Amino acid sequence: MAVDYKALKDGGFMRQTQKNHFSLRLKAIGGNFTAEQLSTIAEISKTFGCGQVHLTSRQGIEIPFIKLDDVDKVKAELEAGGVYTGVCGPRVRTVTACQGAEICPSGCIDTYPLALEISDRYFGRELPHKFKFGVTGCMNNCLKAEENDLGIKGGYTIEWIKEACTLCGVCAKACREGAIAQTESEILLDETKCSNCGRCVKSCPFDAWRGEPGYILSFGGTFGNLIAKGEPVLPILRDKDALFRAADAALAFFDKYAKPGERFRVTIERAGWEAFRQTLETEMEAAYNG
Amino acid sequence: MADFQIDAEADITDVVCPVTFVKAKVALEELEDGQIISIRINDGEPVQNVPRSLKEEGHQILKLSANGDETYNLIVRKVGE
Ligand code: SF4
Ligand code: SF4
Ligand code: SF4
């Protein structure tokens, strides 16, 4: 029987230079693996591979030098150890994430549970071309949100609480955007300069800034053959429902307007950024009312 | 605003980040719980990061005041051992 390389590739088995060998891509979410999963992976690598793994640029793990004859066995043994194969081809790929608010003091949003939700909802979904999601917890952008077809960045919508403020002077210095000015009696915020970074909230010793977590989305990032950074199209979104409505609308737009084999970026540019923005807003509105 | 009873002073304007934080931390380690230190820090990166880092360590920031020479005095109360 002829080998179905495409099916193998869709299931994460990447053909190697060496005949009949595959580099096996594993399913990863937000770059987190448990110690048990790592033990399973190590065992498989020693038994069926070359005793080595490769860490990919998108927080994944590949086990190279898996032989064609062992593919089914390897898959079964991995699954028994709670490890699943990844995907390749024209579909939603590994969802990446930084450590976020759970672990990182700078984080404005809890990135890992969000990456899990996104992965549950979209991972493997077929589209005109590959599609990457990435979640970064704050403006420091360790996860580089704008490299992704759809990037998500945590931010705070802020509000000054006059009664709690001692005019200590810390927030005005912590702000890198020059959005905060301090007078003898109050703090003045220039919202047009505010980047939602949340540094004022994090630095205030007296909890005199309230920070409401939100999501800043970027669309159309790609860092392969074509290099372009994702662009913000919507204002900061305050809740997760809105985030998923926007993501649903973006994927529907891609499905509807893309020529086969075209990256999301190219589709948006052909349709026009303004048309894309309007579609998003209309679809989000419809989903909200529906 | 009331002035604070300063128990100790430190100057971290002679070092750059991230050593600024380390030097401030060492200075705080010499204090007893509840004592107050005035730390002189540079404008720019240090003043943007040091107060926040000390707060995240659990100390209480009381005041930041400009000295008019691109340095600031950060008044901190030590919290915990
Ligand atoms: S992007 Fe922000 S939250 Fe995420 S690891 Fe970097 S600093 Fe922390
Ligand atoms: S850091 Fe907090 S207490 Fe200090 S001036 Fe800003 S809002 Fe007021
Ligand atoms: S959220 Fe960031 S940019 Fe906005 S005022 Fe606070 S520190 Fe400045």
Side-chain angles (χ1 to χ4, degrees), chain A residues 2-250:
Chain A
V3 180
D4 186 351
Y5 286 107
K6 184 173 176 300
L8 283 170
K9 194 178 170 202
D10 290 348
F13 287 83
M14 319 295 292
R15 194 173 60 82
Q16 280 185 215
T17 309
Q18 295 80 4
K19 194 161 185 264
N20 284 340
H21 286 79
F22 293 85
S23 187
L24 173 54
R25 178 175 293 182
L26 303 177
K27 181 173 181 179
I29 304 172
N32 284 356
F33 286 89
T34 64
E36 287 79 51
Q37 287 175 318
L38 288 175
S39 302
T40 302
I41 294 164
E43 261 330 295
I44 296 287
S45 165
K46 274 191 264 180
T47 314
F48 297 99
C50 64
Q52 184 180 315
V53 300
H54 174 71
L55 301 180
T56 75
S57 64
R58 294 194 75 251
Q59 306 185 321
I61 296 178
E62 283 188 20
I63 313 176
F65 288 96
I66 302 294
K67 287 178 209 68
L68 184 57
D69 292 343
D70 292 333
V71 162
D72 291 332
K73 211 164 156 201
V74 165
K75 253 182 123 154
E77 289 198 18
L78 280 171
E79 283 179 23
V83 181
Y84 299 89
T85 49
V87 295
C88 192
R91 49 184 60 77
V92 175
R93 303 290 188 79
T94 292
V95 179
T96 55
C98 75
Q99 288 187 305
E102 170 73 19
I103 288 173
C104 176
S106 295
C108 295
I109 57 168
D110 203 357
T111 50
Y112 184 59
L114 182 58
L116 282 175
E117 267 186 74
I118 294 171
S119 193
D120 280 351
R121 194 168 167 131
Y122 302 117
F123 181 70
R125 172 164 158 187
E126 302 218 351
L127 287 165
H129 206 314
K130 60 178 143 186
F131 198 97
K132 297 170 182 175
F133 282 89
V135 187
T136 202
C138 77
M139 234 41 77
N140 289 340
N141 206 11
C142 300
L143 198 275
K144 309 191 189 342
E146 289 84 357
E147 282 183 4
N148 294 274
D149 295 275
L150 205 171
I152 297 156
K153 189 183 282 177
Y156 276 162
T157 307
I158 53 159
E159 196 188 332
W160 180 55
I161 306 160
K162 189 180 169 83
E163 309 77 64
C165 177
T166 66
L167 294 170
C168 76
V170 168
C171 62
K173 294 312 299 182
C175 178
R176 290 170 171 167
E177 309 297 328
I180 299 177
Q182 184 176 340
T183 71
E184 288 291 298
S185 59
E186 62 179 343
I187 293 290
L188 302 172
L189 171 67
D190 181 346
E191 280 180 24
T192 61
K193 287 186 183 164
C194 176
S195 69
N196 305 103
C197 75
R199 287 176 61 87
C200 49
V201 179
K202 304 269 181 188
S203 66
C204 176
F206 302 97
D207 293 329
W209 284 101
R210 191 177 293 124
E212 195 65 48
Y215 311 96
I216 298 160
L217 272 44
S218 55
F219 298 90
T222 165
F223 269 67
N225 290 299
L226 171 65
I227 297 181
K229 98 181 182 21
E231 298 293 340
V233 175
L234 301 169
I236 185 168
L237 301 176
R238 297 285 283 273
D239 62 274
K240 223 188 269 176
D241 282 352
L243 162 66
F244 281 112
R245 285 201 299 276
D248 284 348

Side-chain angles (χ1 to χ4, degrees), chain B residues 27-40:
Chain B
L28 273 151
E29 269 163 21
E30 318 241 297
L31 302 185
E32 303 291 323
D33 190 12
Q35 282 191 310
I36 293 176
I37 185 169
S38 173
I39 306 172
R40 186 160 171 264

